Amino acid sequence: MDGQLLLVLLLLLLGASGPEGQGPGPGEPEEEPPKEEIPEEDGILVLSRRNLGLALREHRTLLVQFYAPWCGHCKALAPEYSKAAALLAAESAKARLAKVDGPAEAELTEEFAVTTYPTLKFFRDGNRTHPEEYTGPREAEGIAEWLRRRAGPSATRLEDEDGAQALIDGRDVVVIGFFQDLQDEDVATFLALAQDALDMTFGLTDQPKLFQKFGLTKDTVVLFKKFDEGRADFPVDEELGLDQGDLSHFLLTHSMRLVTEFNSQVLFVVVDVGADNGHVLRYFGLKAEEAPTLRFINMETTKKYAPAHGGPLTAASVTAFCHAVLGGEVKPYLLSQELPPDWDQRPVKTLVGKNFEQVAFDETKNVFIKFYAPWCTHCKEMAAAWEALADKYKDHEDIIIAELDATANELEAFPVHGFPTLKFFPAGPGRKVIEYKSTRDLETFSKFLDSGGELPAEEPAEEPAAPFPETPANSTTEPKEEL
């Protein structure tokens, strides 16, 4: 009986490996599983929870739109998004556009903290954990150019006089960086700024003959324009190097057309909101539909002022407003994002200008805040440690770990001059503030918190923070329904 049972089992096993269900025999090639194809619509990859990972592996630069079928702004963006995909495809560009149906892919919207539509996120080199928020234009050419400057060089390399002159002649505003050494850190700063200043065309060169042609003897960024004085020079500080904030401020100031002067104290500038001047509107916290309107900025302090009441812009009303600002009768206004409804639901709390004072100076809490910029590399590098810190102390009722986008929110308490800036606000009266300047890792952060805002003297000093752009390119955080 046992022998019969053994025979049946052997036959069954042999049958399972017969022609119908058998794997490849010796020397036979294995069949490759069919390659998964990512579906497309109008040249746009259609992503889901199942194929996002594949898309990130196959495409080094990927812009993903999270949309909702019922969203009016998403519908308005759709044709421009498709046109941008077509523009890039015609150039055989490496960057691709993709989309995710947010309501249908709840896991992905939760993973990437999508709360409004459309939300656009940029993924580079397959990095799934720290995508860059898209802060560029919402029309086809602007979307394509934003991606071009991230997928490839953001400035044209100039080798001779003909190339330089052709670049200058082709646009109203052209910025050329003259650097004797293209491997210098100042060049990286220049190229980083060029990524987001989409309304300007950038070039760079190290050619001595071009230095000579334009009368330069040292590293200089030159803005060429077809109006006003025609040219403005920004020499690179030989000791401090190129400061991205100062350069951004310089380019914004000198790229706008000068109209007239007021009492030798005020320069009047006209901004066409119908043209590609989004960076100017973001800097003042304005939307195109608010035009015509008026804003006043003190170029030394960067404080901004707005008329107290609406009404027609007349020579009399403008004159009265200018006199009021110069006379100290108008208080400056501060930019602030809207407070997200879920600002306190994650371990890392989200602060904006409107809730900063209430949270930071709560006398019952010890508050540790990261002031960051969305484009800052150092901020992205420390993001994981900051999340881990918040998770570690999430059950401590007297400790709050928070972050604030300092390019989109301005504070009355103090200015933020570098990224990331870390400040500790200990519990108790007196509005005490302690700046953290040590190593940005979980262990050192924890020691700092556990000791009430102090560290042993032997702790190593941290590297300098990234420069703060006084004229922030990203002063409005995407995504909001702003089309």
Side-chain angles (χ1 to χ4, degrees):
M1 185 69 177
D2 290 341
Q4 292 177 341
L5 178 61
L6 178 60
L7 178 62
V8 172
L9 289 175
L10 287 172
L11 288 173
L12 286 174
L13 289 171
L14 290 170
S17 59
E20 297 272 341
Q22 138 179 16
E28 296 182 19
E30 292 190 13
E31 292 187 11
E32 293 186 5
K35 183 178 180 181
E36 183 178 357
E37 296 286 341
I38 300 176
E40 295 189 22
E41 292 180 2
D42 295 327
I44 298 169
L45 301 174
V46 181
L47 304 185
S48 65
R49 173 179 55 85
R50 291 184 302 243
N51 64 16
L52 174 61
L54 175 62
L56 293 177
R57 290 192 299 272
E58 291 187 347
H59 304 288
R60 190 179 72 82
T61 49
L62 186 67
L63 180 63
V64 179
Q65 177 199 172
F66 292 82
Y67 73 97
W70 44 259
C71 167
H73 294 319
C74 301
K75 294 176 182 177
L77 175 61
E80 296 297 321
Y81 203 62
S82 296
K83 290 178 187 176
L87 287 172
L88 294 169
E91 302 165 5
S92 299
K94 296 179 180 179
R96 288 298 305 266
L97 272 63
K99 63 181 181 180
V100 172
D101 182 339
E105 296 290 340
E107 288 187 27
L108 292 182
T109 58
E110 181 178 357
E111 178 181 354
F112 298 109
V114 175
T115 58
T116 58
Y117 300 108
T119 288
L120 293 93
K121 293 180 181 286
F122 177 67
F123 297 82
R124 188 194 296 274
D125 297 327
N127 188 332
R128 183 166 179 154
T129 56
H130 295 97
E132 178 183 353
E133 294 290 339
Y134 176 81
T135 55
R138 296 294 183 89
E139 45 80 27
E141 180 54 44
I143 295 170
E145 181 63 18
W146 192 93
L147 284 168
R148 289 187 196 108
R149 296 201 186 188
R150 279 158 174 76
S154 55
T156 302
R157 179 81 172 266
L158 303 174
E159 300 291 350
D160 53 41
E161 294 184 12
D162 290 342
Q165 198 60 52
L167 188 70
I168 294 170
D169 292 341
R171 300 282 182 171
D172 285 347
V173 177
V174 173
V175 181
I176 299 180
F178 294 82
F179 300 98
Q180 298 176 45
D181 179 7
L182 294 185
Q183 304 304 315
D184 193 278
E185 290 183 6
D186 293 333
V187 177
T189 300
F190 177 79
L191 294 175
L193 186 147
Q195 280 193 347
D196 288 307
L198 303 183
D199 54 330
M200 302 179 195
T201 298
F202 288 78
L204 79 162
T205 186
D206 62 350
Q207 295 299 307
K209 56 190 175 185
L210 290 180
F211 274 75
Q212 182 178 359
K213 174 179 173 58
F214 293 103
L216 301 172
T217 58
K218 64 177 185 176
D219 289 3
T220 305
V221 177
V222 180
L223 183 145
F224 297 92
K225 51 187 174 179
K226 295 180 179 178
F227 49 87
D228 298 338
E229 71 274 29
R231 169 176 168 172
D233 289 14
F234 185 87
V236 177
D237 191 299
E238 294 182 359
E239 293 184 3
L240 301 178
L242 185 63
D243 182 276
Q244 186 169 342
D246 290 344
L247 177 59
S248 178
H249 188 191
F250 170 85
L251 295 180
L252 174 66
T253 302
H254 289 276
S255 64
M256 295 188 292
R257 297 175 185 267
L258 175 62
V259 179
T260 186
E261 291 192 21
F262 175 80
N263 198 25
S264 300
Q265 292 179 285
V266 180
L267 300 180
F268 281 80
V269 175
V270 175
V271 178
D272 181 0
V273 300
D276 190 10
N277 284 314
H279 67 294
V280 181
L281 296 180
R282 288 193 295 271
Y283 180 60
F284 288 101
L286 289 170
K287 297 179 182 178
E289 54 266 29
E290 296 181 62
T293 187
L294 187 67
R295 292 296 184 268
F296 188 110
I297 179 170
N298 184 318
M299 298 303 291
E300 293 183 359
T301 65
T302 71
K303 290 182 178 179
K304 298 180 283 289
Y305 303 83
H309 305 288
L313 295 180
T314 64
S317 66
V318 172
T319 301
F321 173 63
C322 291
H323 279 303
V325 173
L326 295 173
E329 301 171 20
V330 181
K331 292 184 177 180
Y333 70 92
L334 301 171
L335 296 180
S336 176
Q337 296 172 292
E338 292 301 318
L339 181 64
D342 60 345
W343 71 272
D344 60 349
Q345 298 304 301
R346 295 171 49 245
V348 177
K349 313 307 178 189
T350 301
L351 301 187
V352 297
K354 294 180 178 180
N355 72 335
F356 171 78
E357 288 276 332
Q358 176 186 355
V359 176
F361 295 109
D362 183 342
E363 296 183 0
T364 67
K365 308 290 185 184
N366 294 289
V367 185
F368 202 7
I369 302 176
K370 174 182 72 175
F371 299 88
Y372 72 95
W375 46 260
C376 168
T377 302
H378 296 311
C379 302
K380 295 174 183 177
E381 289 174 349
M382 67 163 287
W386 200 248
E387 292 283 349
L389 181 71
D391 191 64
K392 178 178 179 179
Y393 288 91
K394 65 183 179 182
D395 296 326
H396 292 65
E397 295 185 0
D398 63 333
I399 292 179
I400 292 177
I401 309 299
E403 62 183 10
L404 180 143
D405 180 353
T407 69
N409 299 277
E410 297 172 328
L411 307 176
E412 187 174 3
F414 50 79
V416 177
H417 292 301
F419 298 123
T421 290
L422 307 177
K423 291 183 182 288
F424 179 66
F425 302 78
R431 296 170 64 90
K432 187 176 180 182
V433 182
I434 300 172
E435 185 158 359
Y436 179 90
K437 293 185 177 181
S438 190
T439 308
R440 302 183 195 124
D441 59 43
L442 177 60
E443 180 182 359
T444 315
F445 285 151
S446 301
K447 290 179 181 178
F448 180 78
L449 280 180
D450 293 341
S451 64
E454 296 181 358
L455 280 174
E458 67 270 17
E459 288 288 341
E462 182 55 282
E463 58 194 277
F468 175 85
E470 295 177 336
T471 308
N474 299 331
S475 61
T476 301
T477 296
E478 293 286 332
K480 294 181 181 178
E481 297 192 345
E482 294 179 341
L483 286 172

